């Protein structure tokens, strides 16, 4: 998807650069083609529209059109705005090493929550923190096993609920009282040894239309008061990602996206 979009943009930019002088009509034509290319790449309509409006406003600035290399400058505006659109610099998680941290992982079924929870735990461990993975997806026993297996691979403790526990809030409460969270294991961490755990709560997948399950997540969030609520989305979902992110954000005020 991105390589096709890249090829198209290259073509459009090559054409723009070729012009010695550039008129508003040249810019409009290029923007029209870029918009089509974005929509063909399954970029959300509103996102494409806002992007085009921002580029146009900057490109029509006097300084750009009167410069010696207007084509080059406009290509640079495109490039800068595209970088922002694609995420800019990743933000660091707002976790304080000195305080116990709680990270809630949410997302649609099969979006990669459990895998991302383990990747995040591995990253935090590398940074000298003491992550603990907590299984809060209680519907499927295999989901708990999956988290336990991943935790073993990266040598991070995994807190699993009592097999009879059907209430996620109680499962989360039990995990927070567990010694693994309060006192991270003495081995396997660098110096200085972290004194408090960073708990990552892996939840069961939801469909954005499933109000009851979303409500359960809301209650879990109210109970946990996590510093971070991270939404995991599959990078290949295209424009659907916008509606998914909007729904989850409305219900849970997410703080970031993986
Ligand atoms: N290629 C690729 N596959 C991934 C990635 N993350 C997860 N997967 C795969 O996607 C599938 C689903 O990943 P999970 O982490 O189990 O997703 P989940 O959101 O926890 O799924 P549920 O708990 O069932 O809702 C698995 O087969 C993963 O191996 C990724 O970054 N790249
Ligand atoms: Mg999972």
């Amino acid at each position: 998807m991105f390589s096709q979009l890249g090829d198209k943009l290259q073509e459009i930019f090559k054409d723009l650069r070729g012009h010695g002088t550039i008129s508003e009509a040249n810019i409009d034509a290029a923007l029209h083609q870029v918009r089509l290319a974005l929509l063909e790449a399954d970029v959300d309509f509103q996102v494409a529209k806002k992007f085009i409006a921002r580029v146009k406003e900057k490109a029509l600035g006097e300084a750009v059109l009167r410069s010696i290399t207007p084509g080059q400058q406009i290509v640079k505006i495109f490039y800068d705005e595209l970088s922002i659109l694609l995420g800019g610099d990743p933000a660091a998680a707002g976790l304080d090493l000195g305080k116990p941290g709680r990270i809630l992982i949410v997302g649609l079924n099969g979006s990669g929550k459990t895998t991302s929870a383990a990747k995040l735990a591995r990253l935090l461990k590398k940074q000298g923190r003491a992550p603990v993975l907590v299984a809060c997806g209680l519907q499927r026993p295999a989901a708990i096993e999956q988290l336990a297996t991943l935790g073993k691979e990266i040598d991070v403790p995994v807190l699993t609920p009592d097999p009879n526990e059907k209430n996620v809030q109680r499962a989360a409460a039990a995990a927070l009282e567990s010694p693994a969270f309060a006192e991270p294991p003495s081995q396997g961490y660098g110096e200085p040894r972290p004194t408090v755990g960073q708990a990552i709560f892996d939840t069961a997948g939801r469909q954005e239309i499933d109000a009851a399950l979303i409500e359960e997540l809301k209650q879990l969030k109210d109970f946990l008061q996590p510093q971070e609520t991270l939404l995991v989305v599959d990078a290949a979902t295209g424009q659907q990602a916008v509606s998914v992110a909007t729904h989850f954000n409305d219900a849970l005020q997410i703080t970031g996206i993986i």
Side-chain angles (χ1 to χ4, degrees):
M1 194 160 76
F2 277 126
S3 74
Q4 264 179 23
L5 178 60
D7 290 348
K8 276 241 173 79
L9 292 179
Q10 288 294 350
E11 238 171 73
I12 299 166
F13 291 165
K14 201 171 142 198
D15 193 44
L16 257 187
R17 277 202 199 93
H19 291 280
T21 55
I22 283 194
S23 65
E24 190 169 341
N26 295 136
I27 295 175
D28 275 337
L31 283 174
H32 178 67
Q33 287 185 55
V34 171
R35 194 158 91 137
L36 289 181
L38 290 174
L39 294 178
E40 269 172 30
D42 205 22
V43 172
D44 178 76
F45 172 72
Q46 291 293 345
V47 172
K49 201 170 126 181
K50 277 188 206 148
F51 170 78
I52 295 294
R54 269 203 311 271
V55 173
K56 184 166 180 176
E57 193 193 317
K58 289 194 177 164
L60 288 181
E62 286 288 305
V64 174
L65 290 186
R66 286 210 192 140
S67 71
I68 309 166
T69 54
Q72 300 272 16
Q73 296 211 26
I74 289 170
V75 170
K76 183 172 183 314
I77 294 172
F78 267 113
Y79 177 81
D80 291 345
E81 289 294 326
L82 261 184
S83 304
I84 295 170
L85 181 70
L86 291 174
D89 292 327
L95 293 170
D96 184 342
L97 188 55
K99 293 194 191 126
R102 295 168 192 187
I103 303 171
L104 181 61
I105 306 280
V106 300
L108 295 183
N109 293 323
S111 58
K113 292 176 297 300
T114 304
T115 311
S116 301
K119 284 183 182 171
L120 187 59
R122 189 165 168 270
L123 178 71
L124 290 177
K125 194 176 159 182
K126 263 196 189 159
Q127 294 174 344
R129 300 169 194 257
V132 176
L133 287 160
V134 186
C136 275
L138 308 178
Q139 279 89 346
R140 279 190 307 122
I144 298 170
E145 216 171 284
Q146 181 192 1
L147 193 66
T149 306
L150 289 172
K152 210 175 266 173
E153 266 176 43
I154 56 173
D155 196 18
V156 164
V158 177
L159 304 179
T160 52
D162 184 288
N164 298 318
E165 187 58 82
K166 294 281 169 266
N167 180 300
V168 280
Q169 207 163 305
R170 273 203 304 268
L176 289 178
E177 274 168 22
S178 139
F181 179 60
E183 259 181 74
S186 55
Q187 304 211 322
Y189 294 103
E191 290 296 332
R193 189 184 146 225
T195 50
V196 288
Q198 310 280 339
I200 302 170
F201 295 85
D202 180 34
T203 58
R206 317 277 142 158
Q207 288 303 325
E208 48 185 310
I209 39 175
D210 192 332
L213 280 172
I214 294 276
E215 188 55 39
E216 184 188 85
L217 265 190
K218 264 189 185 173
Q219 287 175 11
L220 180 63
K221 188 188 167 185
D222 279 349
F223 171 73
L224 285 175
Q225 298 287 321
Q227 285 84 355
E228 299 282 350
T229 302
L230 302 179
L231 174 69
V232 179
V233 273
D234 183 336
T237 43
Q239 60 176 305
Q240 200 216 341
V242 175
S243 97
V244 171
T246 306
H247 269 86
F248 275 89
N249 192 41
D250 288 347
L252 295 160
Q253 292 80 50
I254 57 175
T255 58
I257 295 192
I258 300 181

